[in-house]
Amino acid sequence: NTRATMVELHDGLAAESQHRWPSLAFDLGAVNDRLAPFIPAGFYYKTFMGPRGWWMFYERLIRKAAGLGTAPRELDPDTYEKNHAHCDVLVVGGGPAGLAAALAAGRTGARVILADETAAFGGQLKRERMAIEEKSALAWVGAAVAELERMPEARLFLRTTAFGYYDHNLVALCERVADHLAVPPPYTPRQRLWLVRAREVVLATGAIERPLIFAGNDRPGVMLANAARAYVNQFAVRPGQRAVVATNNDDAYRSAADLADAGVLVAAVIDARPSAGHQLAVRAREKGIEILAGHAVVASHGRAAVRAVEVMALDPHGMPAGRSRVIPCDLVAVSGGWSPSLHLHSQSGGRLDYDETLAAFVPGAPKQRARSAGAARGQYALRAVLADGFESGAAAASAAGFGSGAAPPAPRVARELEARLRPLWSAAAPGRRKGKRFVDIQDDVTVEDVALAAREGYVSVEHLKRYTTLGMGTDQGKTANLNGLAVMAQLRGLSIPAVGTTTFRPPYTPVAFGALGGREVGKAFRPTRRSAMHEWHEEAGAVFVEAGLWLRPRYYPRAGEDMAAATAREAKHVREAVGLVDVSTLGKIDVAGRDAAELLDRVYVNGWKTLAVGKARYGLMLREDGIVFDDGTTSRVDESRYFMTTTTANAAKVLAHLEYYLQLVWPELRAQVTSVTEEWAAMALAGPRSRAVLARLADVEVSDEALPFMGVRDCRLAGVPARLFRISFSGELAYEINVPADWGRFVWEALMTEGRAEDIVAYGTEAMGTLRIEKGHVAGGELNGQTTARDLGLGRLLSTKKDFIGKALLARPGLEDPERPQLVGLVPSDGKTRIRSGAQLVLEAGGVGTAVGHVTSSASSPTLGHPIALALLARGPERKGETLYASFPLKGEVVPVVVGDAVFFDPEGKRLHG
């Protein structure tokens, strides 16, 4: 779906047409021209209906026939980048108006960004054939660009399309950095996405020429008059040998003259207006060009390309009348007037107004801090375009806080473009000739399709668009929409503004997925984070797992061990001796300030003002709807400072949650929250021998009396400043140790060295998960965004003495329904079959029927000697002792299970208090 005329030529470029088979010269799909009367607009809506599966059968064929191209199957070899930029004035469009606006704003000292989607600045002036005395316009372009390049606060972007205008003056740009290079330099991205925040925006996006409607107007050799002018003036290419120019405005006469000067025989100018006495027509006659005023092209002829056009005179009502005349030609240059490019203005929320003198929509009142300039707002005379650009740039700079707002005078240039265009719709009138009259050439929408939509009641522009696909191609109707609206207006007997226009949406032109994704693909989709001990884990042979943004050791296999064996060994060793696990990935947030305790009281369901310095407490956060958001321990390290931990996956979400409430809901609270996750390396030392290992390295007493359960102490460990937390995720005597990240590996290795006497091992997340399931501790599978504190057996934490986030909605009847799933434990009836996570719990032995719950986490417990699982079960506590069936249809598994308590091991907690 690459637009061939928008691709810069370069050595090595390979171009191939699509939507033809077996070849372009002999395309079997051309048979559809004969079948056209039987496949009008909306054909497949009405035809491909029937039993289930019919549409899926036909869809592949329809999509192939639609010519949508073939998506590549290979990996994209190119790289892409994303950048952010800020400026005072963003000017979109590098034509005369855009250059003038950028100069006016830049001269005030404002930060200016000028972006143009082409390879050189100058806009329409690049397409003009300037006589010797008229070259002052092009000379001014060069001087303007040179002056802007000297400005330290100005940035110029070529090959850069502004494709989206979003809220708060955010404009998205796509810079094609290397698309035009045969061999890009090393490390050069193919494209770069820019997200630009601008105080003020000037839209100097120019205007787009409209085609004319006649039978066969899509035949090869029919092109816009301005495109023909660009071929001869900008690229030195003759697009034909014998041309006919069809127009309803003065501007096409320039194309006729330039084609003639380039050696193309211009057989005639067909002007739909009654007379052609203007100066441009006089110059055309002096070149020997025949002018047929009051005439229109009604058809083109030729098989593979245009060979002639059929011309008829128009009556006073603009209808073809009299005998037709055939003029041989191989090029038809058409011009139906100009439409300002309004897409970005519309995307920004700006209103559209209709200008009867231009027969085009023009920008109305803007919604954001933006203004349109030059041809983008219907100004076509060069002197007026430049003056408008200078005025808009100066006004934008003034609104951004620079300059006085007075526009500098526009430079004197010798040549002016026409200020007024008077398009007529005569060529769209129903003077029939054999052949299709295309309104939308890209999407093959004809006048007859629009008429059919009107007859069937699809008269709203949005319905018309979807029923006929008018304006739904990659050009979004830039050349087709106004013609389509004109035809519908004529059919309904209304004016064009009464019919209305469709909504313009981003992107303005197609944007590669690679540019939108940037480098955030594959492993670079999110930055990979590694703990301070990562290299030690690698050297120890750890197998890693992605947890949130982190790589965490999953298990440390020994010779001949698979994951299950290594996990069982590590978990059992922690229960019997001592183990060390890396928990650096836990979110860590410093909460400080006079109102820190008040903040915690409001975000946690339990109380915090009474927590003593040097103590930790388990906390539970709810969302506003009463559902559990996150859990973790928070410690009070002094009177006005707390150290909060969160789950790995929710670290960023919890920080954003706290900042939102502090900034927008409770701005009166004097408290600050700071992420310190990366500042600390954290490790958990767990097992009955953990105290013995810690005592060898700590410079403080670590006995049960000196550091009781949930106690917190600052100390030095192996000479390194450390913070000790007597907390346990495993249910064993355990300590979490935090040290500065730079000392993480040193302290880890010191613990492993001193722990040899106690037979210490490193253990990973799999063993840690097994240990926590044995103790019934909730984690990701249970904190699934659907559970309440009562569902998880944590209802005792809910304070009745204070308010907190989620308290009001927690009292909804649905959240107190006794039928809600609640946390329970499961063991297989046979004592050996693994219960699969995600299995549905049903009452029937066959594993079918209504599910009454599901398995959230499971493990094979080496301590208990059989598999175990946690589950959420309707009326769970009442079902203890019942036998249910864990059904996993994807694997064809049905496991009988017995419901029990969620805590499988050491329910009294004697071991963690040891």
Side-chain angles (χ1 to χ4, degrees), residues 175-406:
E175 180 186 7
R176 300 180 300 281
V177 180
D179 279 4
H180 62 293
L181 301 177
V183 182
Y187 310 111
T188 300
R190 176 193 167 198
Q191 295 180 359
R192 183 180 291 117
L193 177 69
W194 289 90
L195 298 177
V196 180
R197 292 275 185 188
R199 291 186 179 180
E200 299 289 328
V201 175
V202 177
L203 298 175
T205 48
I208 299 171
E209 195 171 27
R210 299 189 290 262
L212 292 174
I213 302 174
F214 52 86
N217 61 340
D218 71 329
R219 186 165 276 116
V222 181
M223 67 175 63
L224 293 173
N226 196 49
R229 194 186 330 176
Y231 276 118
V232 297
N233 293 335
Q234 189 173 354
F235 301 109
V237 173
R238 279 198 297 265
Q241 300 298 322
R242 180 182 175 90
V244 167
V245 177
T247 184
N248 57 18
N249 62 86
D250 293 352
D251 187 64
Y253 284 82
R254 301 184 188 280
S255 299
D258 290 353
L259 286 169
D261 290 341
V264 178
L265 174 62
V266 180
V269 173
I270 314 301
D271 195 334
R273 297 173 297 180
S275 63
H278 50 81
Q279 185 60 36
L280 290 172
V282 173
R283 291 183 182 177
R285 290 191 180 95
E286 292 173 352
K287 295 179 181 291
I289 300 174
E290 181 183 8
I291 297 176
L292 297 177
H295 285 67
V297 172
V298 294
S300 73
H301 299 292
R303 192 183 71 84
V306 66
R307 291 290 176 260
V309 293
E310 191 174 350
V311 179
M312 294 184 68
L314 301 176
D315 65 18
H317 303 290
M319 301 292 291
R323 298 182 62 181
S324 64
R325 172 183 172 184
V326 176
I327 303 176
C329 62
D330 62 357
L331 170 65
V332 184
V334 301
S335 177
W338 294 80
S339 297
S341 183
L342 305 170
H343 297 67
L344 294 178
H345 172 81
S346 179
Q347 290 174 19
S348 72
R351 196 183 71 233
L352 301 183
D353 296 333
Y354 190 76
D355 189 324
E356 293 285 353
T357 62
L358 299 178
F361 286 96
V362 295
K367 186 177 181 180
Q368 301 195 51
R369 299 180 64 172
R371 65 206 74 230
S372 298
R377 74 179 193 95
Q379 295 285 346
Y380 298 125
L382 182 55
R383 189 180 302 276
V385 166
L386 290 171
D388 198 32
F390 275 109
E391 181 180 348
S392 298
S398 176
F402 296 85
S404 63

Side-chain angles (χ1 to χ4, degrees), residues 181 250 337 469 561 577 655 674:
L181 301 177
D250 293 352
T469 70
E561 285 186 335
L655 181 66
T674 307

Side-chain angles (χ1 to χ4, degrees), residues 28 317 569 573 583 593 610 629 637 695 721 731 738 774 844 881:
L28 288 179
H317 303 290
R569 172 182 52 79
H573 199 91
V583 293
T610 59
F629 174 39
V637 295
N738 282 17
E774 290 176 345
E844 292 79 7

Side-chain angles (χ1 to χ4, degrees), residues 717-737:
L717 201 65
V720 175
R723 182 168 290 163
L724 302 181
F725 303 85
R726 173 80 184 279
I727 53 183
S728 177
F729 190 61
S730 62
E732 293 293 328
L733 171 65
Y735 305 86
E736 286 192 10
I737 302 164

